[in-house]
Amino acid sequence: DLGGGSGVTAFGAGTYHIGAVAATAAVPRVFTLFDDLPPLPSTDIQNMLLRESLQETQTALPILHRPSLALHAPHLSLALEAVASRFSGMAEEGRRIFERARRMVVPIVSGCAPDDEPSAGGSRELQSLQALAYLIFYCLLDGSQVMLAVGQRWLAMSIACARQLRLNRAVEVSDPIIRQSRIRLW
């Protein structure tokens, strides 16, 4: 401050009034995780894909506790919808849904790095691991070398996370839904 509280500041050769700078400055827009993606399909299409997924994938990959499905997080619903798009011929919609689910799930599961105190695994981690299992299924159904490699990498990551959550061990869990989900997922 050059004038003992005058609000005038020196920058290089010139002086600027702080109030004038503040009035013309704009706060940058905050970008979200999905700003660069096209919009999701309509709610009707998403609901149709979710219904189809529950019919088609529960036989091949029965890891969900169906009575509690309404309590699951959006990333799990998106993963189920992405898989259903493989069976329904809606490849473009499936890619858009898959990318959103991937951006939500992979950071959570990759955060299951081993530490000194493995957790019993709450519903957030289990839902993310379930969603990743469906995303791996999506990759395998794609059949391309790139997607197969991604699926293999995620499979290794999911096994490490499952072990971190002690899904491979008998752990005392009071919630019967979480207990059943742990058993199904392992």
Side-chain angles (χ1 to χ4, degrees), residues 61-65 76 109 122-134 136 155 158-159 161-163 165 167-168 177-186:
L61 202 59
I63 60 173
L64 294 177
H65 183 261
L76 180 55
V109 175
S123 61
R124 178 176 183 252
E125 292 86 3
L126 286 175
Q127 290 169 352
S128 298
L129 205 48
Q130 289 168 329
L132 186 61
Y134 284 106
I136 292 167
L155 181 58
S158 68
I159 291 169
C161 183
R163 286 183 174 154
L165 296 175
L167 297 185
N168 58 333
I177 293 172
I178 291 177
R179 185 174 41 251
Q180 184 62 233
S181 295
R182 290 172 55 83
I183 292 167
R184 287 172 182 251
L185 189 53
W186 182 249

PDB file of all heavy atoms in Angstrom, residues 61-65 76 109 122-134 136 155 158-159 161-163 165 167-168 177-186:
ATOM      1  N   LEU A  61     -23.472 -62.303 -12.997  1.00  0.00           N
ATOM      2  CA  LEU A  61     -22.649 -61.660 -11.973  1.00  0.00           C
ATOM      3  C   LEU A  61     -23.541 -61.289 -10.777  1.00  0.00           C
ATOM      4  O   LEU A  61     -23.863 -60.125 -10.563  1.00  0.00           O
ATOM      5  CB  LEU A  61     -22.003 -60.408 -12.580  1.00  0.00           C
ATOM      6  CG  LEU A  61     -20.760 -59.840 -11.953  1.00  0.00           C
ATOM      7  CD1 LEU A  61     -19.631 -60.860 -11.928  1.00  0.00           C
ATOM      8  CD2 LEU A  61     -20.315 -58.595 -12.701  1.00  0.00           C
ATOM      9  N   PRO A  62     -23.944 -62.298  -9.995  1.00  0.00           N
ATOM     10  CA  PRO A  62     -24.921 -62.058  -8.912  1.00  0.00           C
ATOM     11  C   PRO A  62     -24.290 -61.504  -7.638  1.00  0.00           C
ATOM     12  O   PRO A  62     -24.282 -62.147  -6.601  1.00  0.00           O
ATOM     13  CB  PRO A  62     -25.514 -63.437  -8.681  1.00  0.00           C
ATOM     14  CG  PRO A  62     -24.381 -64.368  -8.990  1.00  0.00           C
ATOM     15  CD  PRO A  62     -23.607 -63.703 -10.108  1.00  0.00           C
ATOM     16  N   ILE A  63     -23.769 -60.293  -7.709  1.00  0.00           N
ATOM     17  CA  ILE A  63     -23.072 -59.732  -6.548  1.00  0.00           C
ATOM     18  C   ILE A  63     -23.900 -58.702  -5.782  1.00  0.00           C
ATOM     19  O   ILE A  63     -23.462 -58.209  -4.755  1.00  0.00           O
ATOM     20  CB  ILE A  63     -21.728 -59.099  -6.967  1.00  0.00           C
ATOM     21  CG1 ILE A  63     -21.932 -57.972  -7.964  1.00  0.00           C
ATOM     22  CG2 ILE A  63     -20.781 -60.149  -7.490  1.00  0.00           C
ATOM     23  CD1 ILE A  63     -20.680 -57.202  -8.293  1.00  0.00           C
ATOM     24  N   LEU A  64     -25.081 -58.395  -6.273  1.00  0.00           N
ATOM     25  CA  LEU A  64     -25.910 -57.386  -5.610  1.00  0.00           C
ATOM     26  C   LEU A  64     -26.910 -58.023  -4.667  1.00  0.00           C
ATOM     27  O   LEU A  64     -27.430 -59.106  -4.925  1.00  0.00           O
ATOM     28  CB  LEU A  64     -26.673 -56.563  -6.640  1.00  0.00           C
ATOM     29  CG  LEU A  64     -25.842 -55.689  -7.553  1.00  0.00           C
ATOM     30  CD1 LEU A  64     -26.741 -54.995  -8.553  1.00  0.00           C
ATOM     31  CD2 LEU A  64     -25.046 -54.684  -6.761  1.00  0.00           C
ATOM     32  N   HIS A  65     -27.178 -57.313  -3.608  1.00  0.00           N
ATOM     33  CA  HIS A  65     -28.257 -57.679  -2.698  1.00  0.00           C
ATOM     34  C   HIS A  65     -29.481 -56.919  -3.206  1.00  0.00           C
ATOM     35  O   HIS A  65     -29.656 -55.728  -2.930  1.00  0.00           O
ATOM     36  CB  HIS A  65     -27.898 -57.265  -1.272  1.00  0.00           C
ATOM     37  CG  HIS A  65     -28.920 -57.658  -0.272  1.00  0.00           C
ATOM     38  ND1 HIS A  65     -29.857 -56.769   0.199  1.00  0.00           N
ATOM     39  CD2 HIS A  65     -29.156 -58.827   0.330  1.00  0.00           C
ATOM     40  CE1 HIS A  65     -30.629 -57.376   1.073  1.00  0.00           C
ATOM     41  NE2 HIS A  65     -30.232 -58.629   1.173  1.00  0.00           N
ATOM     42  N   LEU A  76     -23.112 -47.027  -8.906  1.00  0.00           N
ATOM     43  CA  LEU A  76     -23.454 -48.432  -9.121  1.00  0.00           C
ATOM     44  C   LEU A  76     -24.563 -48.550 -10.163  1.00  0.00           C
ATOM     45  O   LEU A  76     -24.504 -49.402 -11.055  1.00  0.00           O
ATOM     46  CB  LEU A  76     -23.863 -49.089  -7.808  1.00  0.00           C
ATOM     47  CG  LEU A  76     -24.237 -50.569  -7.888  1.00  0.00           C
ATOM     48  CD1 LEU A  76     -23.123 -51.400  -8.513  1.00  0.00           C
ATOM     49  CD2 LEU A  76     -24.568 -51.089  -6.499  1.00  0.00           C
ATOM     50  N   VAL A 109     -11.966 -46.809  -5.572  1.00  0.00           N
ATOM     51  CA  VAL A 109     -11.379 -48.139  -5.429  1.00  0.00           C
ATOM     52  C   VAL A 109      -9.854 -48.056  -5.398  1.00  0.00           C
ATOM     53  O   VAL A 109      -9.208 -48.773  -4.635  1.00  0.00           O
ATOM     54  CB  VAL A 109     -11.868 -49.092  -6.542  1.00  0.00           C
ATOM     55  CG1 VAL A 109     -11.171 -50.430  -6.464  1.00  0.00           C
ATOM     56  CG2 VAL A 109     -13.381 -49.282  -6.429  1.00  0.00           C
ATOM     57  N   GLY A 122     -17.338 -50.494   4.646  1.00  0.00           N
ATOM     58  CA  GLY A 122     -18.678 -49.943   4.726  1.00  0.00           C
ATOM     59  C   GLY A 122     -19.352 -49.977   3.374  1.00  0.00           C
ATOM     60  O   GLY A 122     -18.805 -50.451   2.390  1.00  0.00           O
ATOM     61  N   SER A 123     -20.538 -49.464   3.316  1.00  0.00           N
ATOM     62  CA  SER A 123     -21.313 -49.576   2.084  1.00  0.00           C
ATOM     63  C   SER A 123     -20.705 -48.777   0.934  1.00  0.00           C
ATOM     64  O   SER A 123     -20.791 -49.193  -0.214  1.00  0.00           O
ATOM     65  CB  SER A 123     -22.759 -49.152   2.333  1.00  0.00           C
ATOM     66  OG  SER A 123     -22.811 -47.813   2.752  1.00  0.00           O
ATOM     67  N   ARG A 124     -20.072 -47.637   1.198  1.00  0.00           N
ATOM     68  CA  ARG A 124     -19.486 -46.837   0.105  1.00  0.00           C
ATOM     69  C   ARG A 124     -18.422 -47.634  -0.638  1.00  0.00           C
ATOM     70  O   ARG A 124     -18.408 -47.683  -1.866  1.00  0.00           O
ATOM     71  CB  ARG A 124     -18.892 -45.550   0.650  1.00  0.00           C
ATOM     72  CG  ARG A 124     -18.230 -44.696  -0.425  1.00  0.00           C
ATOM     73  CD  ARG A 124     -17.751 -43.371   0.164  1.00  0.00           C
ATOM     74  NE  ARG A 124     -17.190 -42.539  -0.866  1.00  0.00           N
ATOM     75  CZ  ARG A 124     -15.886 -42.288  -0.985  1.00  0.00           C
ATOM     76  NH1 ARG A 124     -15.040 -42.802  -0.129  1.00  0.00           N
ATOM     77  NH2 ARG A 124     -15.446 -41.518  -1.946  1.00  0.00           N
ATOM     78  N   GLU A 125     -17.514 -48.258   0.094  1.00  0.00           N
ATOM     79  CA  GLU A 125     -16.461 -49.038  -0.537  1.00  0.00           C
ATOM     80  C   GLU A 125     -17.024 -50.256  -1.255  1.00  0.00           C
ATOM     81  O   GLU A 125     -16.605 -50.585  -2.355  1.00  0.00           O
ATOM     82  CB  GLU A 125     -15.414 -49.479   0.486  1.00  0.00           C
ATOM     83  CG  GLU A 125     -14.588 -48.352   1.054  1.00  0.00           C
ATOM     84  CD  GLU A 125     -15.240 -47.672   2.239  1.00  0.00           C
ATOM     85  OE1 GLU A 125     -16.332 -48.103   2.681  1.00  0.00           O
ATOM     86  OE2 GLU A 125     -14.675 -46.677   2.730  1.00  0.00           O
ATOM     87  N   LEU A 126     -17.971 -50.927  -0.611  1.00  0.00           N
ATOM     88  CA  LEU A 126     -18.577 -52.108  -1.244  1.00  0.00           C
ATOM     89  C   LEU A 126     -19.321 -51.737  -2.516  1.00  0.00           C
ATOM     90  O   LEU A 126     -19.209 -52.426  -3.526  1.00  0.00           O
ATOM     91  CB  LEU A 126     -19.529 -52.816  -0.275  1.00  0.00           C
ATOM     92  CG  LEU A 126     -18.862 -53.613   0.829  1.00  0.00           C
ATOM     93  CD1 LEU A 126     -19.907 -54.152   1.785  1.00  0.00           C
ATOM     94  CD2 LEU A 126     -18.035 -54.736   0.255  1.00  0.00           C
ATOM     95  N   GLN A 127     -20.085 -50.657  -2.486  1.00  0.00           N
ATOM     96  CA  GLN A 127     -20.805 -50.224  -3.679  1.00  0.00           C
ATOM     97  C   GLN A 127     -19.840 -49.876  -4.797  1.00  0.00           C
ATOM     98  O   GLN A 127     -20.080 -50.205  -5.957  1.00  0.00           O
ATOM     99  CB  GLN A 127     -21.689 -49.025  -3.357  1.00  0.00           C
ATOM    100  CG  GLN A 127     -22.861 -49.357  -2.478  1.00  0.00           C
ATOM    101  CD  GLN A 127     -23.561 -48.118  -1.971  1.00  0.00           C
ATOM    102  OE1 GLN A 127     -23.095 -47.004  -2.150  1.00  0.00           O
ATOM    103  NE2 GLN A 127     -24.691 -48.321  -1.321  1.00  0.00           N
ATOM    104  N   SER A 128     -18.741 -49.236  -4.456  1.00  0.00           N
ATOM    105  CA  SER A 128     -17.744 -48.882  -5.469  1.00  0.00           C
ATOM    106  C   SER A 128     -17.081 -50.124  -6.035  1.00  0.00           C
ATOM    107  O   SER A 128     -16.846 -50.209  -7.245  1.00  0.00           O
ATOM    108  CB  SER A 128     -16.703 -47.943  -4.870  1.00  0.00           C
ATOM    109  OG  SER A 128     -17.321 -46.757  -4.452  1.00  0.00           O
ATOM    110  N   LEU A 129     -16.794 -51.080  -5.182  1.00  0.00           N
ATOM    111  CA  LEU A 129     -16.193 -52.331  -5.655  1.00  0.00           C
ATOM    112  C   LEU A 129     -17.181 -53.120  -6.509  1.00  0.00           C
ATOM    113  O   LEU A 129     -16.805 -53.707  -7.521  1.00  0.00           O
ATOM    114  CB  LEU A 129     -15.720 -53.146  -4.458  1.00  0.00           C
ATOM    115  CG  LEU A 129     -14.604 -54.136  -4.662  1.00  0.00           C
ATOM    116  CD1 LEU A 129     -13.435 -53.546  -5.415  1.00  0.00           C
ATOM    117  CD2 LEU A 129     -14.149 -54.702  -3.333  1.00  0.00           C
ATOM    118  N   GLN A 130     -18.449 -53.133  -6.123  1.00  0.00           N
ATOM    119  CA  GLN A 130     -19.480 -53.769  -6.950  1.00  0.00           C
ATOM    120  C   GLN A 130     -19.571 -53.075  -8.305  1.00  0.00           C
ATOM    121  O   GLN A 130     -19.633 -53.727  -9.344  1.00  0.00           O
ATOM    122  CB  GLN A 130     -20.843 -53.716  -6.247  1.00  0.00           C
ATOM    123  CG  GLN A 130     -20.961 -54.629  -5.058  1.00  0.00           C
ATOM    124  CD  GLN A 130     -22.207 -54.339  -4.241  1.00  0.00           C
ATOM    125  OE1 GLN A 130     -22.674 -53.205  -4.158  1.00  0.00           O
ATOM    126  NE2 GLN A 130     -22.745 -55.368  -3.609  1.00  0.00           N
ATOM    127  N   ALA A 131     -19.583 -51.752  -8.286  1.00  0.00           N
ATOM    128  CA  ALA A 131     -19.649 -50.995  -9.541  1.00  0.00           C
ATOM    129  C   ALA A 131     -18.439 -51.306 -10.410  1.00  0.00           C
ATOM    130  O   ALA A 131     -18.574 -51.490 -11.632  1.00  0.00           O
ATOM    131  CB  ALA A 131     -19.733 -49.492  -9.251  1.00  0.00           C
ATOM    132  N   LEU A 132     -17.255 -51.405  -9.808  1.00  0.00           N
ATOM    133  CA  LEU A 132     -16.062 -51.726 -10.590  1.00  0.00           C
ATOM    134  C   LEU A 132     -16.170 -53.121 -11.195  1.00  0.00           C
ATOM    135  O   LEU A 132     -15.754 -53.339 -12.334  1.00  0.00           O
ATOM    136  CB  LEU A 132     -14.796 -51.603  -9.744  1.00  0.00           C
ATOM    137  CG  LEU A 132     -13.491 -51.775 -10.521  1.00  0.00           C
ATOM    138  CD1 LEU A 132     -13.349 -50.701 -11.604  1.00  0.00           C
ATOM    139  CD2 LEU A 132     -12.301 -51.750  -9.583  1.00  0.00           C
ATOM    140  N   ALA A 133     -16.754 -54.064 -10.473  1.00  0.00           N
ATOM    141  CA  ALA A 133     -16.940 -55.407 -11.034  1.00  0.00           C
ATOM    142  C   ALA A 133     -17.807 -55.345 -12.289  1.00  0.00           C
ATOM    143  O   ALA A 133     -17.503 -56.002 -13.292  1.00  0.00           O
ATOM    144  CB  ALA A 133     -17.571 -56.329  -9.991  1.00  0.00           C
ATOM    145  N   TYR A 134     -18.856 -54.534 -12.275  1.00  0.00           N
ATOM    146  CA  TYR A 134     -19.702 -54.386 -13.460  1.00  0.00           C
ATOM    147  C   TYR A 134     -18.970 -53.638 -14.577  1.00  0.00           C
ATOM    148  O   TYR A 134     -19.155 -53.959 -15.753  1.00  0.00           O
ATOM    149  CB  TYR A 134     -21.023 -53.708 -13.112  1.00  0.00           C
ATOM    150  CG  TYR A 134     -21.960 -54.659 -12.412  1.00  0.00           C
ATOM    151  CD1 TYR A 134     -22.197 -54.564 -11.055  1.00  0.00           C
ATOM    152  CD2 TYR A 134     -22.573 -55.689 -13.116  1.00  0.00           C
ATOM    153  CE1 TYR A 134     -23.033 -55.456 -10.413  1.00  0.00           C
ATOM    154  CE2 TYR A 134     -23.410 -56.594 -12.475  1.00  0.00           C
ATOM    155  CZ  TYR A 134     -23.633 -56.471 -11.123  1.00  0.00           C
ATOM    156  OH  TYR A 134     -24.449 -57.359 -10.486  1.00  0.00           O
ATOM    157  N   ILE A 136     -15.756 -53.819 -15.099  1.00  0.00           N
ATOM    158  CA  ILE A 136     -14.846 -54.834 -15.645  1.00  0.00           C
ATOM    159  C   ILE A 136     -15.614 -55.732 -16.612  1.00  0.00           C
ATOM    160  O   ILE A 136     -15.125 -56.056 -17.696  1.00  0.00           O
ATOM    161  CB  ILE A 136     -14.195 -55.654 -14.511  1.00  0.00           C
ATOM    162  CG1 ILE A 136     -13.234 -54.782 -13.707  1.00  0.00           C
ATOM    163  CG2 ILE A 136     -13.486 -56.891 -15.067  1.00  0.00           C
ATOM    164  CD1 ILE A 136     -12.774 -55.402 -12.393  1.00  0.00           C
ATOM    165  N   LEU A 155      -9.217 -55.402 -12.627  1.00  0.00           N
ATOM    166  CA  LEU A 155      -9.406 -56.637 -11.866  1.00  0.00           C
ATOM    167  C   LEU A 155      -8.337 -56.755 -10.793  1.00  0.00           C
ATOM    168  O   LEU A 155      -8.641 -57.075  -9.637  1.00  0.00           O
ATOM    169  CB  LEU A 155      -9.383 -57.851 -12.802  1.00  0.00           C
ATOM    170  CG  LEU A 155      -9.603 -59.206 -12.138  1.00  0.00           C
ATOM    171  CD1 LEU A 155     -10.932 -59.244 -11.406  1.00  0.00           C
ATOM    172  CD2 LEU A 155      -9.515 -60.313 -13.182  1.00  0.00           C
ATOM    173  N   SER A 158      -9.184 -54.308  -8.118  1.00  0.00           N
ATOM    174  CA  SER A 158     -10.340 -54.705  -7.313  1.00  0.00           C
ATOM    175  C   SER A 158      -9.991 -55.824  -6.332  1.00  0.00           C
ATOM    176  O   SER A 158     -10.490 -55.834  -5.209  1.00  0.00           O
ATOM    177  CB  SER A 158     -11.512 -55.111  -8.209  1.00  0.00           C
ATOM    178  OG  SER A 158     -11.232 -56.301  -8.896  1.00  0.00           O
ATOM    179  N   ILE A 159      -9.117 -56.739  -6.742  1.00  0.00           N
ATOM    180  CA  ILE A 159      -8.690 -57.803  -5.826  1.00  0.00           C
ATOM    181  C   ILE A 159      -7.907 -57.207  -4.663  1.00  0.00           C
ATOM    182  O   ILE A 159      -8.120 -57.575  -3.500  1.00  0.00           O
ATOM    183  CB  ILE A 159      -7.875 -58.876  -6.572  1.00  0.00           C
ATOM    184  CG1 ILE A 159      -8.799 -59.646  -7.521  1.00  0.00           C
ATOM    185  CG2 ILE A 159      -7.188 -59.829  -5.593  1.00  0.00           C
ATOM    186  CD1 ILE A 159      -8.071 -60.555  -8.494  1.00  0.00           C
ATOM    187  N   CYS A 161      -8.181 -54.198  -3.474  1.00  0.00           N
ATOM    188  CA  CYS A 161      -9.141 -53.473  -2.630  1.00  0.00           C
ATOM    189  C   CYS A 161      -9.980 -54.448  -1.808  1.00  0.00           C
ATOM    190  O   CYS A 161     -10.217 -54.226  -0.623  1.00  0.00           O
ATOM    191  CB  CYS A 161     -10.037 -52.586  -3.494  1.00  0.00           C
ATOM    192  SG  CYS A 161     -11.208 -51.595  -2.545  1.00  0.00           S
ATOM    193  N   ALA A 162     -10.415 -55.538  -2.420  1.00  0.00           N
ATOM    194  CA  ALA A 162     -11.218 -56.533  -1.704  1.00  0.00           C
ATOM    195  C   ALA A 162     -10.429 -57.126  -0.532  1.00  0.00           C
ATOM    196  O   ALA A 162     -10.973 -57.326   0.559  1.00  0.00           O
ATOM    197  CB  ALA A 162     -11.657 -57.640  -2.657  1.00  0.00           C
ATOM    198  N   ARG A 163      -9.166 -57.373  -0.752  1.00  0.00           N
ATOM    199  CA  ARG A 163      -8.332 -57.887   0.338  1.00  0.00           C
ATOM    200  C   ARG A 163      -8.137 -56.832   1.418  1.00  0.00           C
ATOM    201  O   ARG A 163      -8.125 -57.146   2.606  1.00  0.00           O
ATOM    202  CB  ARG A 163      -6.985 -58.355  -0.202  1.00  0.00           C
ATOM    203  CG  ARG A 163      -7.109 -59.651  -0.958  1.00  0.00           C
ATOM    204  CD  ARG A 163      -5.774 -60.144  -1.416  1.00  0.00           C
ATOM    205  NE  ARG A 163      -5.921 -61.456  -2.012  1.00  0.00           N
ATOM    206  CZ  ARG A 163      -5.103 -61.936  -2.917  1.00  0.00           C
ATOM    207  NH1 ARG A 163      -4.067 -61.212  -3.344  1.00  0.00           N
ATOM    208  NH2 ARG A 163      -5.301 -63.131  -3.413  1.00  0.00           N
ATOM    209  N   LEU A 165     -10.240 -54.608   2.223  1.00  0.00           N
ATOM    210  CA  LEU A 165     -11.506 -54.563   2.959  1.00  0.00           C
ATOM    211  C   LEU A 165     -11.790 -55.864   3.694  1.00  0.00           C
ATOM    212  O   LEU A 165     -12.843 -56.013   4.312  1.00  0.00           O
ATOM    213  CB  LEU A 165     -12.661 -54.252   1.993  1.00  0.00           C
ATOM    214  CG  LEU A 165     -12.615 -52.885   1.311  1.00  0.00           C
ATOM    215  CD1 LEU A 165     -13.742 -52.760   0.297  1.00  0.00           C
ATOM    216  CD2 LEU A 165     -12.683 -51.771   2.328  1.00  0.00           C
ATOM    217  N   LEU A 167     -12.493 -58.797   2.501  1.00  0.00           N
ATOM    218  CA  LEU A 167     -13.618 -59.577   1.989  1.00  0.00           C
ATOM    219  C   LEU A 167     -13.279 -61.060   1.951  1.00  0.00           C
ATOM    220  O   LEU A 167     -14.178 -61.903   1.933  1.00  0.00           O
ATOM    221  CB  LEU A 167     -14.009 -59.104   0.582  1.00  0.00           C
ATOM    222  CG  LEU A 167     -14.498 -57.666   0.458  1.00  0.00           C
ATOM    223  CD1 LEU A 167     -14.966 -57.392  -0.959  1.00  0.00           C
ATOM    224  CD2 LEU A 167     -15.595 -57.356   1.454  1.00  0.00           C
ATOM    225  N   ASN A 168     -12.005 -61.389   1.941  1.00  0.00           N
ATOM    226  CA  ASN A 168     -11.573 -62.777   1.900  1.00  0.00           C
ATOM    227  C   ASN A 168     -11.483 -63.403   3.286  1.00  0.00           C
ATOM    228  O   ASN A 168     -11.044 -64.546   3.419  1.00  0.00           O
ATOM    229  CB  ASN A 168     -10.211 -62.881   1.199  1.00  0.00           C
ATOM    230  CG  ASN A 168      -9.132 -62.055   1.876  1.00  0.00           C
ATOM    231  OD1 ASN A 168      -9.414 -61.058   2.531  1.00  0.00           O
ATOM    232  ND2 ASN A 168      -7.890 -62.467   1.715  1.00  0.00           N
ATOM    233  N   ILE A 177     -27.086 -56.662   5.555  1.00  0.00           N
ATOM    234  CA  ILE A 177     -26.991 -56.367   4.120  1.00  0.00           C
ATOM    235  C   ILE A 177     -25.526 -56.237   3.709  1.00  0.00           C
ATOM    236  O   ILE A 177     -25.103 -56.786   2.695  1.00  0.00           O
ATOM    237  CB  ILE A 177     -27.799 -55.102   3.762  1.00  0.00           C
ATOM    238  CG1 ILE A 177     -29.288 -55.378   3.959  1.00  0.00           C
ATOM    239  CG2 ILE A 177     -27.514 -54.659   2.343  1.00  0.00           C
ATOM    240  CD1 ILE A 177     -30.175 -54.160   3.827  1.00  0.00           C
ATOM    241  N   ILE A 178     -24.750 -55.524   4.526  1.00  0.00           N
ATOM    242  CA  ILE A 178     -23.329 -55.398   4.222  1.00  0.00           C
ATOM    243  C   ILE A 178     -22.654 -56.761   4.325  1.00  0.00           C
ATOM    244  O   ILE A 178     -21.822 -57.109   3.491  1.00  0.00           O
ATOM    245  CB  ILE A 178     -22.657 -54.351   5.134  1.00  0.00           C
ATOM    246  CG1 ILE A 178     -23.164 -52.958   4.770  1.00  0.00           C
ATOM    247  CG2 ILE A 178     -21.142 -54.412   5.017  1.00  0.00           C
ATOM    248  CD1 ILE A 178     -22.634 -51.839   5.636  1.00  0.00           C
ATOM    249  N   ARG A 179     -23.017 -57.548   5.319  1.00  0.00           N
ATOM    250  CA  ARG A 179     -22.445 -58.895   5.465  1.00  0.00           C
ATOM    251  C   ARG A 179     -22.732 -59.730   4.216  1.00  0.00           C
ATOM    252  O   ARG A 179     -21.840 -60.350   3.640  1.00  0.00           O
ATOM    253  CB  ARG A 179     -22.982 -59.568   6.729  1.00  0.00           C
ATOM    254  CG  ARG A 179     -22.346 -60.914   7.011  1.00  0.00           C
ATOM    255  CD  ARG A 179     -22.745 -61.545   8.348  1.00  0.00           C
ATOM    256  NE  ARG A 179     -24.138 -61.415   8.695  1.00  0.00           N
ATOM    257  CZ  ARG A 179     -24.618 -60.629   9.673  1.00  0.00           C
ATOM    258  NH1 ARG A 179     -23.797 -59.887  10.384  1.00  0.00           N
ATOM    259  NH2 ARG A 179     -25.892 -60.571   9.921  1.00  0.00           N
ATOM    260  N   GLN A 180     -23.980 -59.737   3.746  1.00  0.00           N
ATOM    261  CA  GLN A 180     -24.358 -60.496   2.558  1.00  0.00           C
ATOM    262  C   GLN A 180     -23.657 -59.948   1.310  1.00  0.00           C
ATOM    263  O   GLN A 180     -23.196 -60.716   0.449  1.00  0.00           O
ATOM    264  CB  GLN A 180     -25.879 -60.465   2.366  1.00  0.00           C
ATOM    265  CG  GLN A 180     -26.392 -61.287   1.239  1.00  0.00           C
ATOM    266  CD  GLN A 180     -26.104 -62.764   1.408  1.00  0.00           C
ATOM    267  OE1 GLN A 180     -25.542 -63.367   0.514  1.00  0.00           O
ATOM    268  NE2 GLN A 180     -26.465 -63.348   2.531  1.00  0.00           N
ATOM    269  N   SER A 181     -23.546 -58.629   1.207  1.00  0.00           N
ATOM    270  CA  SER A 181     -22.861 -58.015   0.064  1.00  0.00           C
ATOM    271  C   SER A 181     -21.382 -58.392   0.044  1.00  0.00           C
ATOM    272  O   SER A 181     -20.824 -58.655  -1.027  1.00  0.00           O
ATOM    273  CB  SER A 181     -23.010 -56.495   0.111  1.00  0.00           C
ATOM    274  OG  SER A 181     -24.349 -56.131  -0.052  1.00  0.00           O
ATOM    275  N   ARG A 182     -20.764 -58.427   1.206  1.00  0.00           N
ATOM    276  CA  ARG A 182     -19.350 -58.833   1.288  1.00  0.00           C
ATOM    277  C   ARG A 182     -19.168 -60.265   0.781  1.00  0.00           C
ATOM    278  O   ARG A 182     -18.246 -60.539   0.024  1.00  0.00           O
ATOM    279  CB  ARG A 182     -18.841 -58.715   2.726  1.00  0.00           C
ATOM    280  CG  ARG A 182     -18.694 -57.299   3.242  1.00  0.00           C
ATOM    281  CD  ARG A 182     -18.379 -57.288   4.727  1.00  0.00           C
ATOM    282  NE  ARG A 182     -17.210 -58.094   5.045  1.00  0.00           N
ATOM    283  CZ  ARG A 182     -15.950 -57.680   4.941  1.00  0.00           C
ATOM    284  NH1 ARG A 182     -15.708 -56.450   4.552  1.00  0.00           N
ATOM    285  NH2 ARG A 182     -14.954 -58.477   5.257  1.00  0.00           N
ATOM    286  N   ILE A 183     -20.042 -61.147   1.209  1.00  0.00           N
ATOM    287  CA  ILE A 183     -19.953 -62.551   0.797  1.00  0.00           C
ATOM    288  C   ILE A 183     -20.142 -62.672  -0.701  1.00  0.00           C
ATOM    289  O   ILE A 183     -19.380 -63.348  -1.394  1.00  0.00           O
ATOM    290  CB  ILE A 183     -20.996 -63.410   1.562  1.00  0.00           C
ATOM    291  CG1 ILE A 183     -20.614 -63.490   3.040  1.00  0.00           C
ATOM    292  CG2 ILE A 183     -21.130 -64.792   0.936  1.00  0.00           C
ATOM    293  CD1 ILE A 183     -21.723 -64.035   3.933  1.00  0.00           C
ATOM    294  N   ARG A 184     -21.162 -62.029  -1.240  1.00  0.00           N
ATOM    295  CA  ARG A 184     -21.436 -62.108  -2.687  1.00  0.00           C
ATOM    296  C   ARG A 184     -20.298 -61.529  -3.512  1.00  0.00           C
ATOM    297  O   ARG A 184     -19.945 -62.069  -4.544  1.00  0.00           O
ATOM    298  CB  ARG A 184     -22.726 -61.350  -3.021  1.00  0.00           C
ATOM    299  CG  ARG A 184     -23.970 -62.059  -2.574  1.00  0.00           C
ATOM    300  CD  ARG A 184     -25.175 -61.135  -2.784  1.00  0.00           C
ATOM    301  NE  ARG A 184     -26.374 -61.773  -2.324  1.00  0.00           N
ATOM    302  CZ  ARG A 184     -27.316 -62.208  -3.135  1.00  0.00           C
ATOM    303  NH1 ARG A 184     -27.207 -62.051  -4.437  1.00  0.00           N
ATOM    304  NH2 ARG A 184     -28.390 -62.777  -2.658  1.00  0.00           N
ATOM    305  N   LEU A 185     -19.725 -60.434  -3.049  1.00  0.00           N
ATOM    306  CA  LEU A 185     -18.686 -59.780  -3.818  1.00  0.00           C
ATOM    307  C   LEU A 185     -17.393 -60.598  -3.830  1.00  0.00           C
ATOM    308  O   LEU A 185     -16.740 -60.706  -4.852  1.00  0.00           O
ATOM    309  CB  LEU A 185     -18.423 -58.375  -3.281  1.00  0.00           C
ATOM    310  CG  LEU A 185     -17.525 -57.469  -4.084  1.00  0.00           C
ATOM    311  CD1 LEU A 185     -18.009 -57.379  -5.547  1.00  0.00           C
ATOM    312  CD2 LEU A 185     -17.460 -56.093  -3.475  1.00  0.00           C
ATOM    313  N   TRP A 186     -17.041 -61.201  -2.701  1.00  0.00           N
ATOM    314  CA  TRP A 186     -15.813 -61.984  -2.675  1.00  0.00           C
ATOM    315  C   TRP A 186     -15.987 -63.234  -3.530  1.00  0.00           C
ATOM    316  O   TRP A 186     -15.202 -63.635  -4.319  1.00  0.00           O
ATOM    317  CB  TRP A 186     -15.398 -62.356  -1.267  1.00  0.00           C
ATOM    318  CG  TRP A 186     -14.116 -63.118  -1.293  1.00  0.00           C
ATOM    319  CD1 TRP A 186     -13.950 -64.425  -0.998  1.00  0.00           C
ATOM    320  CD2 TRP A 186     -12.812 -62.623  -1.676  1.00  0.00           C
ATOM    321  NE1 TRP A 186     -12.627 -64.783  -1.158  1.00  0.00           N
ATOM    322  CE2 TRP A 186     -11.904 -63.710  -1.583  1.00  0.00           C
ATOM    323  CE3 TRP A 186     -12.329 -61.401  -2.093  1.00  0.00           C
ATOM    324  CZ2 TRP A 186     -10.546 -63.589  -1.871  1.00  0.00           C
ATOM    325  CZ3 TRP A 186     -10.982 -61.284  -2.397  1.00  0.00           C
ATOM    326  CH2 TRP A 186     -10.106 -62.364  -2.270  1.00  0.00           C
TER     327      TRP A 186
END
